[in-house]
Amino acid sequence: MDPDADRAPRLPKTQHEKETQRRLIVILEEACLETVKRGQKFELMNCDDHLHILRKNKRPLEDARPDICHQCLLQLMDSPLNKAGLLQVYIHTKKNVLIEMNPQTRIPRTFKRFSGLMVQLLHKLSIRAVDGPVKLMKVVKNPVERHLPAGARRIGTSCNSKKLVRLEDFVPTLPDGPVVWVVGAMAVGAVEADYVEEEIAISEYALSGAAVCGKLCNAYEQHWGVL
């Protein structure tokens, strides 16, 4: 039995709650989640197992790094912030598929199981809980802006930004309501999302997407008193 089963995160239900309730909303942008057919079955394309397909189609290895999204999701969904019901996660793929994550979702520990789950999601458009009708993951309509609270700050992260901040100092200056952070879930390059209002750097060094997600969760857990 899952020890957290009786402490499932409470999701905002009414429009008023969605617009005002404090939440960290993380969008994993440009995630490499794409299926490819090998033999008689579909697989999640990755640079280890499908190198020949990438070379045949003259595509860079960076197009096949779903492990980055997996690492980010483990950081986010396992966090105390998520278990407290204060986190909402969306995934926006390079193929323009938008995925909404239910905070109750437990991400598979191994990449192989994660890959199988993502293939099922991309083909069936939703994943339901084994013991009930709750959708743990689902593909939703674009654009991502339609799912964001009106008036919420939309902040992008980039190591190239000239605005370098210490998250522990910056987060308390933001309005005490929902706030949107955009994190790149790709191997190289910068996120190009026109809905982002400002970009900041949270370290002097280039960080992995998972490291950025971890720092964000830690900063908000500290600010909102989540242990």
Side-chain angles (χ1 to χ4, degrees):
M1 180 178 177
D2 187 345
D4 293 322
D6 59 345
R7 300 175 58 188
R10 181 187 180 278
L11 303 176
K13 295 181 179 180
T14 68
Q15 189 62 33
H16 177 73
E17 288 179 340
K18 291 179 180 179
E19 300 288 348
T20 60
Q21 184 172 303
R22 57 164 57 166
R23 279 184 300 155
L24 169 60
I25 301 172
V26 174
I27 302 170
L28 299 177
E29 268 289 353
E30 299 188 30
C32 303
L33 298 177
E34 179 181 346
T35 62
V36 61
K37 192 171 185 179
R38 188 164 70 162
Q40 297 298 314
K41 64 178 181 177
F42 285 92
E43 299 176 352
L44 192 66
M45 188 167 70
N46 66 83
C47 59
D48 292 323
D49 298 328
H50 306 107
L51 183 59
H52 63 292
I53 296 177
L54 292 167
R55 286 175 173 171
K56 181 180 179 181
N57 292 281
K58 297 181 179 180
R59 295 182 60 178
L61 299 182
E62 294 81 16
D63 281 358
R65 290 294 308 279
D67 56 295
I68 298 175
C69 183
H70 183 217
Q71 294 162 8
C72 290
L73 287 174
L74 286 171
Q75 281 280 358
L76 293 167
M77 306 305 286
D78 282 358
S79 68
L81 192 72
N82 183 54
K83 295 178 187 299
L86 297 172
L87 177 66
Q88 176 67 64
V89 178
Y90 292 93
I91 305 169
H92 191 210
T93 76
K94 281 180 175 288
K95 291 292 186 178
N96 198 32
V97 177
L98 184 61
I99 300 165
E100 181 181 297
M101 304 292 297
N102 187 311
Q104 298 179 35
T105 305
R106 184 179 186 276
I107 302 301
R109 308 292 101 176
T110 68
F111 179 69
K112 184 176 181 179
R113 288 198 170 195
F114 171 78
S115 297
L117 194 66
M118 288 297 109
V119 169
Q120 185 180 348
L121 171 64
L122 292 171
H123 284 201
K124 295 186 177 181
L125 306 183
S126 66
I127 299 292
R128 295 183 183 273
V130 175
D131 56 352
V134 176
K135 289 186 178 180
L136 298 177
M137 292 181 277
K138 61 181 178 181
V139 174
V140 294
K141 290 184 178 180
N142 278 296
V144 67
E145 296 98 304
R146 68 184 292 169
H147 304 282
L148 304 179
R153 288 276 288 274
R154 303 172 184 179
I155 306 167
T157 56
S158 171
C159 63
N160 297 320
S161 173
K162 294 181 179 180
K163 184 177 181 180
L164 176 63
V165 304
R166 185 187 301 275
L167 276 179
E168 291 76 7
D169 299 330
F170 180 71
V171 167
T173 69
L174 300 174
D176 192 32
V179 59
V180 179
W181 286 81
V182 180
V183 178
M186 66 288 195
V188 296
V191 172
E192 296 181 3
D194 54 12
Y195 59 86
V196 171
E197 298 169 342
E198 61 178 314
E199 279 193 345
I200 67 169
I202 63 172
S203 174
E204 296 175 337
Y205 308 100
L207 302 178
S208 67
V212 174
C213 291
K215 286 178 69 69
L216 280 172
C217 288
N218 289 338
Y220 276 91
E221 285 160 6
Q222 180 178 325
H223 179 49
W224 287 336
V226 178
L227 300 177

